[in-house]
PDB file of all heavy atoms in Angstrom:
ATOM      1  N   HIS A 343       6.233  38.708  -9.169  1.00 89.00           N
ATOM      2  CA  HIS A 343       5.895  39.147  -7.816  1.00 89.00           C
ATOM      3  C   HIS A 343       4.380  39.237  -7.612  1.00 89.00           C
ATOM      4  O   HIS A 343       3.886  39.035  -6.493  1.00 89.00           O
ATOM      5  CB  HIS A 343       6.563  40.502  -7.506  1.00 89.00           C
ATOM      6  CG  HIS A 343       5.967  41.675  -8.216  1.00 89.00           C
ATOM      7  ND1 HIS A 343       6.380  42.064  -9.475  1.00 89.00           N
ATOM      8  CD2 HIS A 343       4.982  42.539  -7.861  1.00 89.00           C
ATOM      9  CE1 HIS A 343       5.702  43.118  -9.859  1.00 89.00           C
ATOM     10  NE2 HIS A 343       4.840  43.424  -8.909  1.00 89.00           N
ATOM     11  N   GLU A 344       3.638  39.513  -8.685  1.00 93.00           N
ATOM     12  CA  GLU A 344       2.183  39.583  -8.550  1.00 93.00           C
ATOM     13  C   GLU A 344       1.583  38.198  -8.345  1.00 93.00           C
ATOM     14  O   GLU A 344       0.646  38.017  -7.548  1.00 93.00           O
ATOM     15  CB  GLU A 344       1.572  40.258  -9.786  1.00 93.00           C
ATOM     16  CG  GLU A 344       2.023  41.693  -9.987  1.00 93.00           C
ATOM     17  CD  GLU A 344       0.915  42.582 -10.515  1.00 93.00           C
ATOM     18  OE1 GLU A 344      -0.262  42.299 -10.223  1.00 93.00           O
ATOM     19  OE2 GLU A 344       1.232  43.549 -11.227  1.00 93.00           O
ATOM     20  N   ILE A 345       2.103  37.205  -9.070  1.00 94.00           N
ATOM     21  CA  ILE A 345       1.620  35.829  -8.877  1.00 94.00           C
ATOM     22  C   ILE A 345       2.049  35.336  -7.498  1.00 94.00           C
ATOM     23  O   ILE A 345       1.265  34.675  -6.795  1.00 94.00           O
ATOM     24  CB  ILE A 345       2.164  34.900  -9.974  1.00 94.00           C
ATOM     25  CG1 ILE A 345       1.767  35.421 -11.356  1.00 94.00           C
ATOM     26  CG2 ILE A 345       1.620  33.488  -9.794  1.00 94.00           C
ATOM     27  CD1 ILE A 345       2.300  34.598 -12.507  1.00 94.00           C
ATOM     28  N   ASN A 346       3.269  35.664  -7.100  1.00 92.00           N
ATOM     29  CA  ASN A 346       3.742  35.260  -5.773  1.00 92.00           C
ATOM     30  C   ASN A 346       2.879  35.860  -4.671  1.00 92.00           C
ATOM     31  O   ASN A 346       2.626  35.208  -3.639  1.00 92.00           O
ATOM     32  CB  ASN A 346       5.203  35.670  -5.581  1.00 92.00           C
ATOM     33  CG  ASN A 346       6.161  34.826  -6.405  1.00 92.00           C
ATOM     34  OD1 ASN A 346       5.801  33.760  -6.890  1.00 92.00           O
ATOM     35  ND2 ASN A 346       7.376  35.303  -6.569  1.00 92.00           N
ATOM     36  N   ASN A 347       2.425  37.107  -4.876  1.00 92.00           N
ATOM     37  CA  ASN A 347       1.554  37.745  -3.887  1.00 92.00           C
ATOM     38  C   ASN A 347       0.267  36.947  -3.694  1.00 92.00           C
ATOM     39  O   ASN A 347      -0.229  36.797  -2.571  1.00 92.00           O
ATOM     40  CB  ASN A 347       1.220  39.176  -4.305  1.00 92.00           C
ATOM     41  CG  ASN A 347       2.401  40.118  -4.159  1.00 92.00           C
ATOM     42  OD1 ASN A 347       3.356  39.824  -3.441  1.00 92.00           O
ATOM     43  ND2 ASN A 347       2.360  41.246  -4.839  1.00 92.00           N
ATOM     44  N   ILE A 348      -0.272  36.438  -4.809  1.00 93.00           N
ATOM     45  CA  ILE A 348      -1.501  35.641  -4.731  1.00 93.00           C
ATOM     46  C   ILE A 348      -1.242  34.346  -3.970  1.00 93.00           C
ATOM     47  O   ILE A 348      -1.997  33.965  -3.067  1.00 93.00           O
ATOM     48  CB  ILE A 348      -2.043  35.330  -6.142  1.00 93.00           C
ATOM     49  CG1 ILE A 348      -2.463  36.624  -6.850  1.00 93.00           C
ATOM     50  CG2 ILE A 348      -3.221  34.366  -6.079  1.00 93.00           C
ATOM     51  CD1 ILE A 348      -2.874  36.427  -8.300  1.00 93.00           C
ATOM     52  N   MET A 349      -0.159  33.652  -4.336  1.00 94.00           N
ATOM     53  CA  MET A 349       0.136  32.372  -3.701  1.00 94.00           C
ATOM     54  C   MET A 349       0.540  32.553  -2.238  1.00 94.00           C
ATOM     55  O   MET A 349       0.211  31.714  -1.381  1.00 94.00           O
ATOM     56  CB  MET A 349       1.223  31.636  -4.470  1.00 94.00           C
ATOM     57  CG  MET A 349       0.860  31.306  -5.912  1.00 94.00           C
ATOM     58  SD  MET A 349      -0.752  30.497  -6.111  1.00 94.00           S
ATOM     59  CE  MET A 349      -0.480  28.941  -5.273  1.00 94.00           C
ATOM     60  N   ASN A 350       1.242  33.639  -1.923  1.00 92.00           N
ATOM     61  CA  ASN A 350       1.587  33.913  -0.527  1.00 92.00           C
ATOM     62  C   ASN A 350       0.337  34.192   0.289  1.00 92.00           C
ATOM     63  O   ASN A 350       0.231  33.774   1.453  1.00 92.00           O
ATOM     64  CB  ASN A 350       2.550  35.104  -0.439  1.00 92.00           C
ATOM     65  CG  ASN A 350       3.926  34.784  -0.977  1.00 92.00           C
ATOM     66  OD1 ASN A 350       4.317  33.618  -1.081  1.00 92.00           O
ATOM     67  ND2 ASN A 350       4.680  35.802  -1.350  1.00 92.00           N
ATOM     68  N   LYS A 351      -0.620  34.899  -0.328  1.00 92.00           N
ATOM     69  CA  LYS A 351      -1.894  35.164   0.343  1.00 92.00           C
ATOM     70  C   LYS A 351      -2.638  33.859   0.589  1.00 92.00           C
ATOM     71  O   LYS A 351      -3.215  33.662   1.667  1.00 92.00           O
ATOM     72  CB  LYS A 351      -2.742  36.100  -0.526  1.00 92.00           C
ATOM     73  CG  LYS A 351      -4.073  36.489   0.109  1.00 92.00           C
ATOM     74  CD  LYS A 351      -3.868  37.306   1.375  1.00 92.00           C
ATOM     75  CE  LYS A 351      -5.162  37.791   1.963  1.00 92.00           C
ATOM     76  NZ  LYS A 351      -4.961  38.556   3.221  1.00 92.00           N
ATOM     77  N   ALA A 352      -2.594  32.959  -0.393  1.00 92.00           N
ATOM     78  CA  ALA A 352      -3.246  31.659  -0.233  1.00 92.00           C
ATOM     79  C   ALA A 352      -2.626  30.898   0.939  1.00 92.00           C
ATOM     80  O   ALA A 352      -3.344  30.318   1.770  1.00 92.00           O
ATOM     81  CB  ALA A 352      -3.119  30.850  -1.518  1.00 92.00           C
ATOM     82  N   THR A 353      -1.299  30.919   1.023  1.00 92.00           N
ATOM     83  CA  THR A 353      -0.614  30.218   2.113  1.00 92.00           C
ATOM     84  C   THR A 353      -0.972  30.828   3.463  1.00 92.00           C
ATOM     85  O   THR A 353      -1.197  30.112   4.448  1.00 92.00           O
ATOM     86  CB  THR A 353       0.908  30.262   1.899  1.00 92.00           C
ATOM     87  OG1 THR A 353       1.215  29.748   0.601  1.00 92.00           O
ATOM     88  CG2 THR A 353       1.636  29.429   2.937  1.00 92.00           C
ATOM     89  N   ASP A 354      -1.063  32.155   3.515  1.00 92.00           N
ATOM     90  CA  ASP A 354      -1.459  32.828   4.764  1.00 92.00           C
ATOM     91  C   ASP A 354      -2.874  32.441   5.167  1.00 92.00           C
ATOM     92  O   ASP A 354      -3.166  32.247   6.362  1.00 92.00           O
ATOM     93  CB  ASP A 354      -1.370  34.345   4.601  1.00 92.00           C
ATOM     94  CG  ASP A 354       0.060  34.856   4.501  1.00 92.00           C
ATOM     95  OD1 ASP A 354       0.987  34.087   4.837  1.00 92.00           O
ATOM     96  OD2 ASP A 354       0.254  36.009   4.077  1.00 92.00           O
ATOM     97  N   LEU A 355      -3.764  32.338   4.191  1.00 91.00           N
ATOM     98  CA  LEU A 355      -5.156  31.998   4.489  1.00 91.00           C
ATOM     99  C   LEU A 355      -5.296  30.557   4.975  1.00 91.00           C
ATOM    100  O   LEU A 355      -6.120  30.260   5.842  1.00 91.00           O
ATOM    101  CB  LEU A 355      -6.024  32.210   3.246  1.00 91.00           C
ATOM    102  CG  LEU A 355      -6.268  33.668   2.829  1.00 91.00           C
ATOM    103  CD1 LEU A 355      -6.890  33.725   1.445  1.00 91.00           C
ATOM    104  CD2 LEU A 355      -7.169  34.373   3.837  1.00 91.00           C
ATOM    105  N   VAL A 356      -4.477  29.674   4.419  1.00 90.00           N
ATOM    106  CA  VAL A 356      -4.579  28.252   4.773  1.00 90.00           C
ATOM    107  C   VAL A 356      -3.818  27.928   6.053  1.00 90.00           C
ATOM    108  O   VAL A 356      -4.334  27.242   6.947  1.00 90.00           O
ATOM    109  CB  VAL A 356      -4.068  27.366   3.616  1.00 90.00           C
ATOM    110  CG1 VAL A 356      -4.128  25.887   4.014  1.00 90.00           C
ATOM    111  CG2 VAL A 356      -4.901  27.588   2.357  1.00 90.00           C
ATOM    112  N   TYR A 357      -2.577  28.423   6.165  1.00 91.00           N
ATOM    113  CA  TYR A 357      -1.718  28.061   7.292  1.00 91.00           C
ATOM    114  C   TYR A 357      -1.512  29.201   8.298  1.00 91.00           C
ATOM    115  O   TYR A 357      -0.739  29.052   9.245  1.00 91.00           O
ATOM    116  CB  TYR A 357      -0.350  27.616   6.776  1.00 91.00           C
ATOM    117  CG  TYR A 357      -0.301  26.181   6.278  1.00 91.00           C
ATOM    118  CD1 TYR A 357       0.828  25.699   5.601  1.00 91.00           C
ATOM    119  CD2 TYR A 357      -1.354  25.294   6.485  1.00 91.00           C
ATOM    120  CE1 TYR A 357       0.896  24.381   5.148  1.00 91.00           C
ATOM    121  CE2 TYR A 357      -1.303  23.994   6.026  1.00 91.00           C
ATOM    122  CZ  TYR A 357      -0.180  23.534   5.365  1.00 91.00           C
ATOM    123  OH  TYR A 357      -0.128  22.231   4.922  1.00 91.00           O
ATOM    124  N   GLY A 358      -2.159  30.327   8.069  1.00 89.00           N
ATOM    125  CA  GLY A 358      -1.970  31.466   8.955  1.00 89.00           C
ATOM    126  C   GLY A 358      -0.832  32.343   8.478  1.00 89.00           C
ATOM    127  O   GLY A 358       0.085  31.885   7.799  1.00 89.00           O
ATOM    128  N   GLU A 359      -0.911  33.621   8.821  1.00 87.00           N
ATOM    129  CA  GLU A 359       0.125  34.562   8.396  1.00 87.00           C
ATOM    130  C   GLU A 359       1.489  34.143   8.933  1.00 87.00           C
ATOM    131  O   GLU A 359       1.595  33.636  10.048  1.00 87.00           O
ATOM    132  CB  GLU A 359      -0.225  35.975   8.855  1.00 87.00           C
ATOM    133  CG  GLU A 359      -1.435  36.554   8.131  1.00 87.00           C
ATOM    134  CD  GLU A 359      -1.625  38.023   8.436  1.00 87.00           C
ATOM    135  OE1 GLU A 359      -0.704  38.640   9.034  1.00 87.00           O
ATOM    136  OE2 GLU A 359      -2.685  38.558   8.084  1.00 87.00           O
ATOM    137  N   LYS A 360       2.498  34.382   8.102  1.00 84.00           N
ATOM    138  CA  LYS A 360       3.848  33.925   8.435  1.00 84.00           C
ATOM    139  C   LYS A 360       4.351  34.575   9.723  1.00 84.00           C
ATOM    140  O   LYS A 360       4.280  35.796   9.895  1.00 84.00           O
ATOM    141  CB  LYS A 360       4.806  34.245   7.293  1.00 84.00           C
ATOM    142  CG  LYS A 360       6.226  33.733   7.505  1.00 84.00           C
ATOM    143  CD  LYS A 360       7.143  34.123   6.362  1.00 84.00           C
ATOM    144  CE  LYS A 360       6.832  33.345   5.106  1.00 84.00           C
ATOM    145  NZ  LYS A 360       7.823  33.608   4.041  1.00 84.00           N
ATOM    146  N   GLU A 361       4.845  33.730  10.613  1.00 80.00           N
ATOM    147  CA  GLU A 361       5.423  34.227  11.850  1.00 80.00           C
ATOM    148  C   GLU A 361       6.861  34.654  11.614  1.00 80.00           C
ATOM    149  O   GLU A 361       7.505  34.225  10.652  1.00 80.00           O
ATOM    150  CB  GLU A 361       5.366  33.118  12.920  1.00 80.00           C
ATOM    151  CG  GLU A 361       3.947  32.676  13.257  1.00 80.00           C
ATOM    152  CD  GLU A 361       3.928  31.429  14.117  1.00 80.00           C
ATOM    153  OE1 GLU A 361       5.033  30.889  14.403  1.00 80.00           O
ATOM    154  OE2 GLU A 361       2.822  30.979  14.485  1.00 80.00           O
ATOM    155  N   GLU A 362       7.366  35.493  12.501  1.00 75.00           N
ATOM    156  CA  GLU A 362       8.746  35.954  12.382  1.00 75.00           C
ATOM    157  C   GLU A 362       9.705  34.770  12.564  1.00 75.00           C
ATOM    158  O   GLU A 362       9.428  33.839  13.316  1.00 75.00           O
ATOM    159  CB  GLU A 362       9.057  37.015  13.441  1.00 75.00           C
ATOM    160  CG  GLU A 362       8.336  38.340  13.228  1.00 75.00           C
ATOM    161  CD  GLU A 362       8.822  39.073  12.003  1.00 75.00           C
ATOM    162  OE1 GLU A 362      10.032  38.974  11.697  1.00 75.00           O
ATOM    163  OE2 GLU A 362       8.007  39.724  11.331  1.00 75.00           O
ATOM    164  N   TYR A 363      10.818  34.823  11.825  1.00 70.00           N
ATOM    165  CA  TYR A 363      11.821  33.758  11.955  1.00 70.00           C
ATOM    166  C   TYR A 363      12.448  33.805  13.350  1.00 70.00           C
ATOM    167  O   TYR A 363      12.743  34.880  13.881  1.00 70.00           O
ATOM    168  CB  TYR A 363      12.924  33.919  10.904  1.00 70.00           C
ATOM    169  CG  TYR A 363      12.469  33.687   9.495  1.00 70.00           C
ATOM    170  CD1 TYR A 363      12.487  34.725   8.564  1.00 70.00           C
ATOM    171  CD2 TYR A 363      12.021  32.443   9.084  1.00 70.00           C
ATOM    172  CE1 TYR A 363      12.074  34.512   7.255  1.00 70.00           C
ATOM    173  CE2 TYR A 363      11.606  32.222   7.781  1.00 70.00           C
ATOM    174  CZ  TYR A 363      11.632  33.266   6.869  1.00 70.00           C
ATOM    175  OH  TYR A 363      11.217  33.050   5.590  1.00 70.00           O
TER     176      TYR A 363
END
Side-chain angles (χ1 to χ4, degrees):
H343 72 272
E344 298 217 29
I345 303 178
N346 288 344
N347 288 341
I348 296 174
M349 299 310 295
N350 290 340
K351 182 65 176 178
T353 306
D354 290 345
L355 289 168
V356 178
Y357 279 171
E359 291 189 11
K360 184 182 288 187
E361 298 170 357
E362 291 292 326
Y363 292 115

